[in-house]
Amino acid sequence: MGYSIPHMTPHSFALLRLIADGEFHSGEALARTLDISRGTVWNAVRALEDADLAIYKVRGRGYKLAEPVSLLDARALRANGLHVEVVDAVGSTNTELMQRAASGAASGSVLATEWQQSGRGRMGRAWQAGIGRALAFSVLWRYAQGASALSGLSLAVGVAVVRALRAIGAGDVELKWPNDVLWRGAKLAGILVELSGDTLGPSAVVVGIGVNVRLSAAMRARIDQPAADLESACGGTLDRNAVLGAVLRELRDVLERFGVDGFAPLRPEWERYHAHQGKRVTVTLPGGATDSGVARGIAEDGALLFESGNALRRLHSGEISLRAVKRP
């Protein structure tokens, strides 16, 4: 589970939008603008601090974020030809969009949030993300085909994410099979694809993506694996709207192409980005057994081609974890 923010309210998000510029704002002015009491302003500030946002409080000057944050703006993102909605908080963008899909939401619907209270990753793992410092969003896409024809879709999404992040300056970004995005061996982004529909089609696919844009020391301590952030990879401060826009553009193009051609045309590009291509790795199977061998690439359906001994095996998503073998 993600860490909780017990007192996060609409007032907290409204106040955050006012102080996001990183300038000082007096408590009196904030109270007047929001039409709330000074005590409510104070409580909203405390909630933001509980959310891992450092805020300077100076008598006579007011409140100031230690570093400005770029909040998401749906109007700036709709230029991508998708139906984008930004909400302050939601349990899980994937869960919410899956429910909307069942109620007839349009293909190309996007739900992004500033705060995802119960973000999910692969195999039920929690996704930790700080307010204003990460991207957490989901995209609904509808296909005429059934689930069996959509093998390799999560890997195709990985290609789209890497294309976008490399284009904005993260040159060392790679992929880890089946759906992690790495920078210098540490996790930078994750992908969770969920499907619903009939066996032979049509299908509704919800693609959930989380990207670490800026990680605080406190957030790094909460994450149970090596983690990276995009600003470190790019060497400077980033506008999250620009990052999300870049990812959405590449994702739209890949999802459209996948519906026509499947994963096969993207396979060579995925292997170029593969962090473990041709390297010795250790595979952990669902029951806990491990095996060592060489990652030889991926099949056209997205299965990992794993060479162990004299045999070349096909391993499918959800069955293994992958770690590079450490040499003595």
Side-chain angles (χ1 to χ4, degrees):
M1 297 294 293
Y3 71 100
S4 62
I5 302 178
H7 305 299
M8 204 69 183
T9 68
H11 288 146
S12 303
F13 286 106
L15 186 140
L16 177 59
R17 281 189 282 272
L18 292 177
I19 67 172
D21 57 8
E23 301 297 329
F24 272 106
H25 297 263
S26 74
E28 180 180 357
L30 291 170
R32 186 171 57 250
T33 300
L34 298 175
D35 194 23
I36 58 178
S37 69
R38 291 286 297 273
T40 302
V41 168
W42 173 253
N43 289 333
V45 169
R46 291 292 301 274
L48 293 176
E49 290 179 318
D50 289 343
D52 196 29
L53 289 170
I55 299 177
Y56 299 134
K57 299 180 285 291
V58 179
R59 186 180 298 275
R61 300 192 68 187
Y63 306 101
K64 177 183 184 296
L65 281 174
E67 53 187 17
V69 298
S70 59
L71 298 179
L72 298 176
D73 182 354
R75 293 170 299 178
L77 295 164
R78 287 173 186 149
N80 293 290
L82 301 171
H83 314 286
V84 181
E85 179 182 354
V86 176
V87 296
D88 287 337
V90 69
S92 160
T93 57
N94 257 37
T95 298
E96 175 65 23
L97 205 50
M98 287 290 286
Q99 293 171 352
R100 295 186 186 188
S103 299
S107 184
S109 296
V110 180
L111 180 64
T113 187
E114 294 292 354
W115 168 242
Q116 188 171 226
Q117 297 155 311
S118 304
R120 295 180 291 119
R122 179 171 170 264
M123 300 176 69
R125 298 186 182 96
W127 176 264
Q128 305 274 11
I131 292 176
R133 293 193 175 111
L135 292 175
F137 64 98
S138 297
V139 180
L140 167 63
W141 207 265
R142 295 187 181 275
Y143 289 103
Q145 304 97 314
S148 61
L150 301 180
S151 297
L153 180 58
S154 66
L155 279 72
V157 171
V159 169
V161 173
V162 171
R163 285 178 180 174
L165 300 188
R166 287 191 171 203
I168 62 175
D172 296 333
V173 174
E174 297 178 304
L175 289 167
K176 172 187 168 184
W177 187 89
N179 55 6
D180 283 350
V181 181
L182 308 178
W183 182 65
R184 298 183 179 176
K187 187 168 180 176
L188 175 63
I191 298 162
L192 177 65
V193 175
E194 298 182 287
L195 294 85
S196 64
D198 298 330
T199 303
L200 300 178
S203 299
V205 177
V206 172
V207 177
I209 297 174
V211 182
N212 298 323
V213 178
R214 179 189 303 163
L215 284 176
S216 67
M219 182 57 69
R220 289 180 188 274
R222 293 187 180 102
I223 300 173
D224 62 358
Q225 60 181 303
D229 65 66
L230 192 56
E231 290 191 342
S232 296
C234 293
T237 302
L238 296 170
D239 179 350
R240 291 191 305 141
N241 288 288
V243 177
L244 180 51
V247 175
L248 289 178
R249 285 190 294 274
E250 292 291 352
L251 189 58
R252 179 196 60 201
D253 291 346
V254 164
L255 292 175
E256 287 178 346
R257 182 180 177 187
F258 189 93
V260 177
D261 300 323
F263 178 66
L266 296 170
R267 178 184 174 191
E269 185 175 1
W270 195 98
E271 290 185 335
R272 288 200 304 272
Y273 300 148
H274 188 198
H276 300 104
Q277 186 75 10
K279 297 179 181 178
R280 293 196 61 81
V281 295
T282 294
V283 174
T284 302
L285 301 173
T290 61
D291 194 6
S292 295
V294 178
R296 290 299 183 193
I298 49 173
E300 290 190 358
D301 64 354
L304 178 71
L305 300 177
F306 176 70
E307 183 181 353
S308 178
N310 296 320
L312 187 65
R313 301 161 59 189
R314 296 164 62 98
L315 301 176
H316 295 273
S317 177
E319 297 180 359
I320 72 159
S321 61
L322 190 66
R323 296 289 186 272
V325 172
K326 294 182 179 180
R327 302 196 177 197

